[in-house]
Amino acid sequence: MTFAATVLTLYPEMFPGPLGISLAGRALGEGTWSLDARNIREFATDKHSTVDSTPAGGGAGMVLRADVLAAAIDSVPVGRPILAMTPRGAPLTQARVRALADGPGVTILCGRFEGFDERIFDGRAVEEVSIGDYILSGGEMGALVLLDACIRLLPGVMGAAYSGVDESFEGGLLEYPQYTRPVEWEGRTIPEVLRSGDHARIAAWRKQMAETDTRLRRPDLWERHIGARVQSPSGARQKKDE
Ligand code: SAH
């Protein structure tokens, strides 16, 4: 089944962009996923093709009009989640990416200027997604990030030898550090355990490193990981303070 991506944007020429090369590009050529980048401006109804207007209540910049956005959304086949890139949205996670990659595809709205008229989110059941706590000039880069994260998970894209299950975030932890040849570089050597050939010791070291690094670098992830572990097998959550 093809993962169908529709991107609604004022700059369709930004697509596929970087998704046209390497793994994603090959998968696009093979039909593993499809891309339809549509210009929001085509759905404007006045003779000047107006897509935006000044913010109600005053203030700087321009806001994308809900009626124009709705017409763009309504042109897309139903049955796929409709996402909008917004800094106010839910932070994108590997779990959300995996769920999207398991589905039929996605429609992504890319904002520009000051963003979207708020009414579009309710009016068309649009899910707001953020790619991080910083401001981009437009949603297109966010859409590329989201699509790249989904596409590499599609069956066949990464190759049979690679499962992706060991990766950072997949088990709720960051990945352990990686090394490759040469064994010694500028006086720094690869940890002895990784050269031991002892698979049990290597696995134990990697687990310990993943846990330590997550605890030190990302206390937020570590807290969630620990919280998930105190869940009983039935799924009922135990109170941590008891
Ligand atoms: N005034 C808005 C920012 C608009 S930035 C605010 O303060 O919330 C213009 C567009 O870039 C947004 O509509 C959105 O589509 C995109 N964008 C900016 N930062 C983003 C982020 N962190 N994640 C996802 N999309 C983002």
CSV table of all heavy atoms in Angstrom, one decimal, residues 94 98 152-153 158 161-178 199 202-207 209-211 214:
chain,number,residue,atom,x,y,z
A,94,GLN,N,8.3,10.2,18.3
A,94,GLN,CA,8.5,9.0,17.5
A,94,GLN,C,7.2,8.1,17.5
A,94,GLN,O,6.9,7.4,16.5
A,94,GLN,CB,9.7,8.2,18.0
A,94,GLN,CG,10.2,7.0,17.1
A,94,GLN,CD,10.6,7.4,15.7
A,94,GLN,OE1,10.9,8.6,15.4
A,94,GLN,NE2,10.7,6.4,14.9
A,98,ARG,N,5.4,6.9,14.2
A,98,ARG,CA,5.1,5.4,13.9
A,98,ARG,C,3.7,5.2,13.6
A,98,ARG,O,3.3,4.4,12.7
A,98,ARG,CB,5.6,4.6,15.1
A,98,ARG,CG,5.9,3.2,14.7
A,98,ARG,CD,6.7,2.4,15.8
A,98,ARG,NE,8.1,2.4,15.5
A,98,ARG,CZ,8.7,1.7,14.6
A,98,ARG,NH1,8.0,0.9,13.7
A,98,ARG,NH2,10.0,1.6,14.4
A,152,ARG,N,11.0,6.8,6.4
A,152,ARG,CA,12.0,5.8,6.6
A,152,ARG,C,11.5,4.6,7.4
A,152,ARG,O,12.1,3.5,7.4
A,152,ARG,CB,13.2,6.4,7.4
A,152,ARG,CG,12.8,7.0,8.7
A,152,ARG,CD,13.9,7.8,9.3
A,152,ARG,NE,15.0,7.0,9.8
A,152,ARG,CZ,15.0,6.3,11.0
A,152,ARG,NH1,13.9,6.3,11.7
A,152,ARG,NH2,16.0,5.6,11.3
A,153,LEU,N,10.3,4.7,8.0
A,153,LEU,CA,9.7,3.6,8.7
A,153,LEU,C,8.8,2.7,7.7
A,153,LEU,O,8.3,1.6,8.1
A,153,LEU,CB,8.8,4.1,9.8
A,153,LEU,CG,9.5,4.8,11.0
A,153,LEU,CD1,8.5,5.2,12.0
A,153,LEU,CD2,10.6,3.9,11.6
A,158,MET,N,14.1,1.0,4.7
A,158,MET,CA,15.4,1.0,5.3
A,158,MET,C,16.2,-0.3,5.0
A,158,MET,O,17.3,-0.5,5.4
A,158,MET,CB,15.3,1.2,6.8
A,158,MET,CG,15.1,2.7,7.2
A,158,MET,SD,15.2,3.0,8.9
A,158,MET,CE,13.8,2.1,9.5
A,161,ALA,N,17.9,-5.7,6.8
A,161,ALA,CA,18.8,-5.9,7.9
A,161,ALA,C,18.6,-4.9,9.0
A,161,ALA,O,19.0,-5.1,10.1
A,161,ALA,CB,20.2,-5.8,7.4
A,162,TYR,N,17.8,-3.9,8.7
A,162,TYR,CA,17.7,-2.8,9.7
A,162,TYR,C,16.3,-2.7,10.2
A,162,TYR,O,15.3,-2.6,9.4
A,162,TYR,CB,18.1,-1.5,9.0
A,162,TYR,CG,18.1,-0.4,9.9
A,162,TYR,CD1,19.2,-0.1,10.7
A,162,TYR,CD2,17.0,0.5,10.1
A,162,TYR,CE1,19.3,1.0,11.6
A,162,TYR,CE2,17.0,1.5,10.9
A,162,TYR,CZ,18.1,1.8,11.7
A,162,TYR,OH,18.1,2.8,12.5
A,163,SER,N,16.1,-2.8,11.5
A,163,SER,CA,14.7,-2.8,12.0
A,163,SER,C,14.3,-1.4,12.6
A,163,SER,O,13.1,-1.1,12.6
A,163,SER,CB,14.6,-3.8,13.1
A,163,SER,OG,15.3,-3.4,14.3
A,164,GLY,N,15.3,-0.7,13.0
A,164,GLY,CA,15.0,0.6,13.6
A,164,GLY,C,14.6,0.5,15.1
A,164,GLY,O,14.4,1.5,15.7
A,165,VAL,N,14.4,-0.7,15.6
A,165,VAL,CA,13.9,-0.8,17.0
A,165,VAL,C,14.9,-0.4,18.1
A,165,VAL,O,14.5,-0.1,19.2
A,165,VAL,CB,13.4,-2.3,17.3
A,165,VAL,CG1,12.2,-2.6,16.5
A,165,VAL,CG2,14.5,-3.3,17.1
A,166,ASP,N,16.2,-0.4,17.7
A,166,ASP,CA,17.2,-0.1,18.7
A,166,ASP,C,17.4,1.5,18.8
A,166,ASP,O,18.1,1.9,19.7
A,166,ASP,CB,18.6,-0.7,18.3
A,166,ASP,CG,19.1,-1.7,19.2
A,166,ASP,OD1,18.3,-2.1,20.1
A,166,ASP,OD2,20.3,-2.1,19.1
A,167,GLU,N,16.8,2.2,17.9
A,167,GLU,CA,17.1,3.6,17.8
A,167,GLU,C,16.7,4.5,19.0
A,167,GLU,O,15.8,4.1,19.8
A,167,GLU,CB,16.3,4.1,16.6
A,167,GLU,CG,17.1,5.1,15.8
A,167,GLU,CD,17.2,4.6,14.4
A,167,GLU,OE1,16.2,4.1,13.9
A,167,GLU,OE2,18.3,4.7,13.9
A,168,SER,N,17.3,5.7,19.1
A,168,SER,CA,16.9,6.6,20.1
A,168,SER,C,15.3,6.8,20.1
A,168,SER,O,14.8,6.9,19.0
A,168,SER,CB,17.5,8.0,19.9
A,168,SER,OG,18.9,8.0,20.1
A,169,PHE,N,14.7,6.9,21.2
A,169,PHE,CA,13.3,7.1,21.4
A,169,PHE,C,12.4,5.9,21.3
A,169,PHE,O,11.3,5.9,21.8
A,169,PHE,CB,12.7,8.2,20.5
A,169,PHE,CG,13.5,9.5,20.5
A,169,PHE,CD1,14.1,10.0,19.4
A,169,PHE,CD2,13.7,10.2,21.7
A,169,PHE,CE1,14.9,11.1,19.4
A,169,PHE,CE2,14.4,11.4,21.8
A,169,PHE,CZ,15.0,11.8,20.6
A,170,GLU,N,12.9,4.9,20.5
A,170,GLU,CA,12.0,3.8,20.2
A,170,GLU,C,11.6,3.0,21.5
A,170,GLU,O,10.5,2.6,21.7
A,170,GLU,CB,12.6,2.8,19.2
A,170,GLU,CG,12.6,3.4,17.8
A,170,GLU,CD,11.2,3.4,17.2
A,170,GLU,OE1,10.2,2.9,17.8
A,170,GLU,OE2,11.0,3.9,16.1
A,171,GLY,N,12.6,2.8,22.4
A,171,GLY,CA,12.3,2.2,23.6
A,171,GLY,C,12.1,3.1,24.8
A,171,GLY,O,12.2,2.8,25.9
A,172,GLY,N,11.9,4.4,24.4
A,172,GLY,CA,11.8,5.4,25.5
A,172,GLY,C,13.1,5.9,26.0
A,172,GLY,O,13.2,6.8,26.9
A,173,LEU,N,14.2,5.4,25.4
A,173,LEU,CA,15.6,5.9,25.8
A,173,LEU,C,16.4,6.4,24.6
A,173,LEU,O,16.0,6.1,23.4
A,173,LEU,CB,16.4,4.7,26.3
A,173,LEU,CG,15.9,4.0,27.6
A,173,LEU,CD1,16.7,2.8,27.9
A,173,LEU,CD2,15.9,5.0,28.8
A,174,LEU,N,17.4,7.2,24.8
A,174,LEU,CA,18.3,7.5,23.8
A,174,LEU,C,19.2,6.3,23.4
A,174,LEU,O,19.3,5.4,24.2
A,174,LEU,CB,19.3,8.7,24.2
A,174,LEU,CG,18.6,10.0,24.7
A,174,LEU,CD1,19.6,11.0,25.2
A,174,LEU,CD2,17.7,10.6,23.6
A,175,GLU,N,19.7,6.3,22.2
A,175,GLU,CA,20.5,5.2,21.8
A,175,GLU,C,21.9,5.3,22.5
A,175,GLU,O,22.3,6.4,22.8
A,175,GLU,CB,20.7,5.2,20.2
A,175,GLU,CG,21.3,3.9,19.7
A,175,GLU,CD,21.6,4.0,18.2
A,175,GLU,OE1,22.4,4.9,17.8
A,175,GLU,OE2,21.1,3.2,17.4
A,176,TYR,N,22.5,4.1,22.6
A,176,TYR,CA,23.9,4.0,23.2
A,176,TYR,C,24.9,4.7,22.2
A,176,TYR,O,24.5,4.8,21.0
A,176,TYR,CB,24.3,2.6,23.4
A,176,TYR,CG,23.9,1.7,22.3
A,176,TYR,CD1,24.7,1.6,21.1
A,176,TYR,CD2,22.7,1.0,22.3
A,176,TYR,CE1,24.3,0.8,20.1
A,176,TYR,CE2,22.3,0.2,21.2
A,176,TYR,CZ,23.1,0.1,20.1
A,176,TYR,OH,22.7,-0.6,19.0
A,177,PRO,N,26.1,5.1,22.6
A,177,PRO,CA,27.0,5.6,21.7
A,177,PRO,C,27.6,4.6,20.7
A,177,PRO,O,27.7,3.4,21.0
A,177,PRO,CB,28.2,6.1,22.5
A,177,PRO,CG,27.8,5.8,23.9
A,177,PRO,CD,26.6,5.0,24.0
A,178,GLN,N,27.9,5.1,19.5
A,178,GLN,CA,28.4,4.2,18.4
A,178,GLN,C,29.8,4.5,18.1
A,178,GLN,O,30.2,5.7,18.2
A,178,GLN,CB,27.5,4.4,17.1
A,178,GLN,CG,26.0,4.1,17.3
A,178,GLN,CD,25.7,2.7,17.1
A,178,GLN,OE1,26.6,1.8,17.1
A,178,GLN,NE2,24.4,2.4,16.8
A,199,HIS,N,29.0,-11.0,23.3
A,199,HIS,CA,27.7,-10.3,23.0
A,199,HIS,C,26.8,-9.9,24.2
A,199,HIS,O,26.2,-8.9,24.2
A,199,HIS,CB,26.9,-11.2,22.0
A,199,HIS,CG,27.6,-11.3,20.7
A,199,HIS,ND1,27.9,-10.2,19.9
A,199,HIS,CD2,28.2,-12.4,20.1
A,199,HIS,CE1,28.6,-10.7,18.8
A,199,HIS,NE2,28.7,-12.0,18.9
A,202,ILE,N,28.4,-6.9,25.7
A,202,ILE,CA,28.1,-5.7,24.8
A,202,ILE,C,26.7,-5.2,25.0
A,202,ILE,O,26.5,-4.0,25.2
A,202,ILE,CB,28.4,-6.1,23.4
A,202,ILE,CG1,29.9,-6.3,23.1
A,202,ILE,CG2,27.9,-5.0,22.4
A,202,ILE,CD1,30.3,-6.9,21.8
A,203,ALA,N,25.8,-6.2,25.1
A,203,ALA,CA,24.4,-5.8,25.3
A,203,ALA,C,24.2,-5.1,26.6
A,203,ALA,O,23.4,-4.1,26.7
A,203,ALA,CB,23.5,-7.0,25.2
A,204,ALA,N,24.8,-5.6,27.7
A,204,ALA,CA,24.7,-5.0,29.0
A,204,ALA,C,25.3,-3.6,29.0
A,204,ALA,O,24.7,-2.7,29.6
A,204,ALA,CB,25.4,-5.9,30.0
A,205,TRP,N,26.4,-3.4,28.4
A,205,TRP,CA,27.1,-2.1,28.3
A,205,TRP,C,26.2,-1.1,27.6
A,205,TRP,O,26.0,0.0,28.0
A,205,TRP,CB,28.4,-2.3,27.6
A,205,TRP,CG,29.2,-1.0,27.5
A,205,TRP,CD1,30.0,-0.4,28.4
A,205,TRP,CD2,29.2,0.0,26.4
A,205,TRP,NE1,30.5,0.8,28.0
A,205,TRP,CE2,30.0,1.0,26.7
A,205,TRP,CE3,28.5,0.0,25.1
A,205,TRP,CZ2,30.3,2.1,25.9
A,205,TRP,CZ3,28.8,1.1,24.3
A,205,TRP,CH2,29.6,2.1,24.6
A,206,ARG,N,25.6,-1.6,26.4
A,206,ARG,CA,24.8,-0.7,25.7
A,206,ARG,C,23.5,-0.3,26.4
A,206,ARG,O,23.1,0.9,26.4
A,206,ARG,CB,24.4,-1.3,24.3
A,206,ARG,CG,25.5,-1.4,23.4
A,206,ARG,CD,25.2,-2.1,22.1
A,206,ARG,NE,26.2,-1.8,21.1
A,206,ARG,CZ,26.3,-2.4,19.9
A,206,ARG,NH1,25.4,-3.3,19.6
A,206,ARG,NH2,27.2,-2.0,19.0
A,207,LYS,N,22.9,-1.2,27.1
A,207,LYS,CA,21.8,-0.9,27.9
A,207,LYS,C,22.1,0.1,29.0
A,207,LYS,O,21.4,1.1,29.2
A,207,LYS,CB,21.2,-2.2,28.6
A,207,LYS,CG,20.0,-2.0,29.4
A,207,LYS,CD,19.3,-3.4,29.7
A,207,LYS,CE,18.1,-3.2,30.5
A,207,LYS,NZ,18.3,-2.9,32.0
A,209,MET,N,24.6,2.3,29.1
A,209,MET,CA,24.9,3.6,28.5
A,209,MET,C,23.7,4.3,28.0
A,209,MET,O,23.5,5.5,28.2
A,209,MET,CB,25.9,3.4,27.2
A,209,MET,CG,27.2,3.0,27.6
A,209,MET,SD,28.1,4.0,28.7
A,209,MET,CE,28.5,5.4,27.7
A,210,ALA,N,22.7,3.5,27.5
A,210,ALA,CA,21.4,4.2,27.0
A,210,ALA,C,20.7,4.8,28.2
A,210,ALA,O,20.2,5.9,28.2
A,210,ALA,CB,20.6,3.1,26.3
A,211,GLU,N,20.7,4.0,29.4
A,211,GLU,CA,20.1,4.5,30.6
A,211,GLU,C,20.8,5.7,31.2
A,211,GLU,O,20.1,6.7,31.5
A,211,GLU,CB,19.9,3.4,31.6
A,211,GLU,CG,19.0,2.3,31.1
A,211,GLU,CD,18.8,1.1,32.1
A,211,GLU,OE1,19.5,1.1,33.1
A,211,GLU,OE2,17.9,0.3,31.8
A,214,THR,N,20.5,8.8,28.9
A,214,THR,CA,19.1,9.4,28.9
A,214,THR,C,18.9,10.1,30.2
A,214,THR,O,18.3,11.2,30.2
A,214,THR,CB,18.1,8.3,28.7
A,214,THR,OG1,18.3,7.5,27.6
A,214,THR,CG2,16.7,8.9,28.6
